[in-house]
Amino acid sequence: MGVWNAYGVGVCYYPEHWKKELWADDLCRMLANGIGTVRIGEFAWNLVEKSEGVFDYAFFDEFLDLCLEKGMKVIFGTPTATPPAWLTEKYPEVLNGREDGALFRHGGRRHYNYNSPVYLEKCRIIVEKEAERWGRHPAIVGWQIDNELNCEKDMFHSAADDAAFRVFLKKKYGTLDAVNAAWGTVFWNQTYTAWEEIHGPRLNAIGAQNPSLELDYRRFISESAIAFAALQAEILRRYIPEGVFITTNGIFGNLDSHRLTDTCLDVMCYDSYPNFAYGLDQAGKPWLDSQMHDRQWSLHLSEVRSISRHFGIMEQQAGAGGWYNRMEAPMPRPGQLGLWALQSVAHGADFVSFFRWRTSPIGTEIYWHGILDWDSRDNRRLREVHIFSENLKKLSPVFDSEIERCAGLLQDFDNQLDAAFDRWHDRAISVSRPGVFAACQHAHVPMDVVQLREKTRVEELLSYRVLFLPHAVILGEEAVELLHRYVTLGGTLVVGARTGYKDIQGRCPMAPMPGLLRGLTGTTVTESSFVAPDDMAKGREPVVDTGSGKLTFPVLFETLAAEEGTEVLGRYANGPFAGEAAICRKAVGDGCVIHVGGVLTEETARYLMNALNLSEPFADLFDLPETVEAVKRTRDGKDWYFLLNYLPEEAPVTFRRPFRELLSEKTVEGQVKMAPYGVMVLTDE
Ligand code: GAL
């Protein structure tokens, strides 16, 4: 069990944005609509420390006491995401900056760096003062550290970061010679002759860095963020009683959220804004196809689940999103707010807190709509929140149940970092990740994100029938050994193009590909390339014939030589490499490895899903259209099925036997039409 022992509903509230006369009424309306927790305080440093060293607790004393009186629980945020103007003006070294050294000034948020000794000290003081004052306040059930670590900016370029990076490197490598060797600085005469010559990524003539430096720098950023959070958590733990939890919110780049959580959190919370998905990608195209827009948030949720088996949603979208200078997405249509909140619950959230109670009439986020509009009148969104809170009560038997496992999408932190700056890697994984996800979704195959870590055990991997590791560009020996055991003991491993192209320092091994995995795959890459944009534009990508159909390989392709005992499942059917092997399978022990010499588009992942007999695992229970997501939960031999319809149209479903539907509290059988944006939760009669 996580930190909650029942489902809960919350909301983000900013008492500092409202006249005090509104507070009591707001809290009573929240409670009347099923909202039992407020998250407060995360941007309110000045309200507690108005000037350096001058503390005043009256504001939050009053608000917290009112919460206690009304029976409202509180999650209190430490205010370090928005350092005050008095601080940044006096100590500009606390600021983050750009690659060219220009500093990010006061006036936005997240303008600080994690390594300035002055900032660390100021944070230590404010967190300690707040913890000392309110750590044992009976209204407080949890603390949120900072707000969205590494959101807005996940790179740091201050002098304090450079200095701390050198310390990180000295600890890691010991000598400058070792750094030079690890990074291959002899290339382009980048050799360092004194520690002071080393900096994080800076503006240079080509807009590209030494890639091994870049990799280490991003690892360093992650360590810095974790140390920053750990500093706060250690202080909080000295003051809070047993049972009060520590969390933070969001998953962002250059931060190992698994390690962060292990190091200093009791539980991870996520901020879920599925309507971001209605935006455009960098090429100006809508993300994925139309019916996967908000549904793809299930992929993010499965990633959160890999961090905290049970987790909370600290910010669940409640209205249209946008700042005065950004138009992110339209409001949730009737039914969508509840659908998205139940999507979070289906995927393992125990606590769902909406962002925010009332839309702000002031500041940058005046158009980021909360549940209520500025006028504060009851509205449709509040009614939907109320319905959701009533629905959660009906779902109490599902609480703490397991999510069915079948397919795993394996990932690891080093490769996530690598893909953040290696364009080849990024282009491949940007297709394969949503490709595997969409294929699983459409074929109703339960899929988890599985994080490959030092402590990952083979037993955990073996709970998945198949693991997709699309592009393990960076590959270390320990991972290879673990994968070997997984396969030998019966697992099916699918790997894609560019597997094993780098060592853990980001250097390409002088060996045939797929590098360290070659012994396992039973293949050797004979040729590899990206697919020319011109060929992609004209539909001349490599085509692979699998015998049962044709697959297109965009972005990257490899031709494979199969060693004896390795079966060729697909061959190139066009172009200069026609006839060469493109997909190979090798039986190893009780399992097998499939090497796909390309990216895993939805089409290719779907082909694999069918070839491995994974598709439609619930076919004997019900017949679902592709457009409906299915999530299976189990506990003590009892099963529940969440069905989620993401479309504005009815979805036809056929039940092959009667089920009890928990939300309508009715029995369903035979042909049924799910409502637009409807959700059903089924269990045995
Ligand atoms: C989140 C953030 C909130 C609010 C919201 C809307 O990323 O945590 O504080 O800014 O976005 O912009």
Side-chain angles (χ1 to χ4, degrees), residues 11 64 92-93 95 128 132 226 278-279 294 339 496 593 606 612-614 620 664 670 675:
V11 77
L64 287 169
E93 67 265 43
L95 296 169
E128 180 135 22
E132 208 172 24
I226 293 170
Y278 287 85
D294 44 351
L339 165 73
V593 187
R606 194 65 186 264
L612 295 168
N613 272 326
L614 298 175
D620 55 334
S664 62

Side-chain angles (χ1 to χ4, degrees), residues 129-202:
K129 291 286 182 191
E130 293 193 348
E132 208 172 24
R133 182 76 180 186
W134 300 304
R136 302 193 82 83
H137 195 288
I140 296 184
V141 295
W143 287 76
Q144 173 186 301
I145 291 175
D146 201 276
N147 186 73
E148 297 193 331
L149 294 164
N150 278 15
C151 176
E152 324 283 356
K153 292 275 170 275
D154 63 8
M155 277 302 252
F156 294 79
H157 306 284
S158 74
D161 296 309
D162 277 350
F165 185 42
R166 290 173 202 131
V167 174
F168 170 89
L169 294 174
K170 279 182 193 162
K171 197 165 156 216
K172 180 165 181 175
Y173 295 105
T175 65
L176 263 186
D177 284 350
V179 176
N180 282 318
W183 292 355
T185 53
V186 68
F187 184 83
W188 283 356
N189 201 36
Q190 291 168 349
T191 305
Y192 297 103
T193 57
W195 288 101
E196 291 62 41
E197 293 165 6
I198 300 184
H199 297 263
R202 285 195 297 182

Side-chain angles (χ1 to χ4, degrees), residues 479-489 493 517 519-520 588:
V480 169
E481 199 192 311
L482 185 67
L483 295 172
H484 208 290
R485 289 181 57 217
Y486 166 71
V487 172
T488 311
L489 294 171
L493 176 69
L517 216 62
L520 194 61
V588 182

Side-chain angles (χ1 to χ4, degrees), residues 602-674:
E602 178 180 353
E603 181 191 37
T604 298
R606 194 65 186 264
Y607 150 76
L608 293 165
M609 220 76 76
N610 291 337
L612 295 168
N613 272 326
L614 298 175
S615 299
E616 301 302 341
F618 311 128
D620 55 334
L621 300 175
F622 30 71
D623 187 20
L624 303 176
E626 284 195 350
T627 53
V628 168
E629 178 177 21
V631 181
K632 182 179 177 187
R633 307 278 300 250
T634 52
R635 195 191 44 240
D636 304 331
K638 199 166 165 55
D639 301 333
W640 294 269
Y641 298 90
F642 283 74
L643 305 185
L644 303 117
N645 176 17
Y646 292 89
L647 293 188
E649 302 115 43
E650 290 182 331
V653 177
T654 306
F655 297 105
R656 304 208 194 287
R657 60 177 171 79
F659 284 97
R660 186 74 186 157
E661 201 284 301
L662 296 186
L663 304 181
S664 62
E665 300 176 308
K666 289 194 175 127
T667 298
V668 289
E669 195 179 359
Q671 291 189 340
V672 171
K673 288 207 184 316
M674 287 183 72

Side-chain angles (χ1 to χ4, degrees), residues 256 259 412-414 451-458 478-479 482 504:
D256 184 344
R259 223 172 91 66
D412 67 273
F413 187 56
D414 273 347
Q451 193 81 4
L452 197 53
R453 308 178 62 196
E454 264 173 39
K455 66 178 205 185
T456 305
R457 291 177 314 127
V458 75
E478 280 157 28
L482 185 67
I504 55 166

Side-chain angles (χ1 to χ4, degrees), residues 14 43 109 147-148 249 271 273 315 323 355 365 368:
Y14 298 89
F43 300 125
R109 61 177 182 181
N147 186 73
E148 297 193 331
N249 55 331
D271 295 343
Y273 290 95
E315 301 179 14
W323 292 358
F355 188 84
E365 293 191 342
W368 205 290

Side-chain angles (χ1 to χ4, degrees), residues 157-371:
H157 306 284
S158 74
D161 296 309
D162 277 350
F165 185 42
R166 290 173 202 131
V167 174
F168 170 89
L169 294 174
K170 279 182 193 162
K171 197 165 156 216
K172 180 165 181 175
Y173 295 105
T175 65
L176 263 186
D177 284 350
V179 176
N180 282 318
W183 292 355
T185 53
V186 68
F187 184 83
W188 283 356
N189 201 36
Q190 291 168 349
T191 305
Y192 297 103
T193 57
W195 288 101
E196 291 62 41
E197 293 165 6
I198 300 184
H199 297 263
R202 285 195 297 182
L203 193 65
N204 65 23
I206 57 164
Q209 310 290 331
N210 175 309
S212 297
L213 176 152
E214 179 107 24
L215 183 61
D216 265 341
Y217 195 73
R218 287 168 191 261
R219 289 173 174 145
F220 156 76
I221 293 301
S222 175
E223 289 304 296
S224 301
I226 293 170
F228 181 73
L231 170 89
Q232 299 196 25
E234 278 158 25
I235 297 167
L236 290 170
R237 292 218 191 271
R238 279 194 265 123
Y239 293 93
I240 62 177
E242 185 90 359
V244 169
F245 61 84
I246 297 179
T247 187
T248 190
N249 55 331
I251 303 186
F252 298 95
N254 298 340
L255 176 51
D256 184 344
S257 295
H258 292 79
R259 223 172 91 66
L260 168 75
T261 306
D262 283 358
T263 309
C264 59
L265 307 181
D266 296 305
V267 67
M268 177 52 101
C269 284
Y270 179 64
D271 295 343
S272 189
Y273 290 95
N275 75 354
F276 267 119
Y278 287 85
L280 304 177
D281 67 14
Q282 284 174 345
K285 292 200 195 116
W287 287 4
L288 292 174
D289 61 81
S290 59
Q291 51 104 0
M292 289 300 279
H293 275 313
D294 44 351
R295 188 171 170 184
Q296 66 173 300
W297 248 242
S298 297
L299 175 60
H300 304 319
L301 292 164
S302 75
E303 180 160 11
V304 189
R305 192 161 76 226
S306 78
I307 298 168
S308 266
R309 176 175 161 262
H310 287 269
F311 57 90
I313 303 293
M314 195 59 86
E315 301 179 14
Q316 176 77 49
Q317 185 179 347
W323 292 358
Y324 73 90
N325 60 343
R326 287 165 56 186
M327 296 174 78
E328 290 302 344
M331 69 169 130
R333 295 181 183 177
Q336 264 184 332
L337 183 152
L339 165 73
W340 293 339
L342 284 169
Q343 177 184 27
S344 295
V345 173
H347 282 279
D350 295 334
F351 169 68
V352 178
S353 163
F354 291 91
F355 188 84
R356 47 186 276 163
W357 172 243
R358 188 169 34 238
T359 312
S360 179
I362 48 171
T364 312
E365 293 191 342
I366 47 176
Y367 302 136
W368 205 290
H369 294 255
I371 300 172

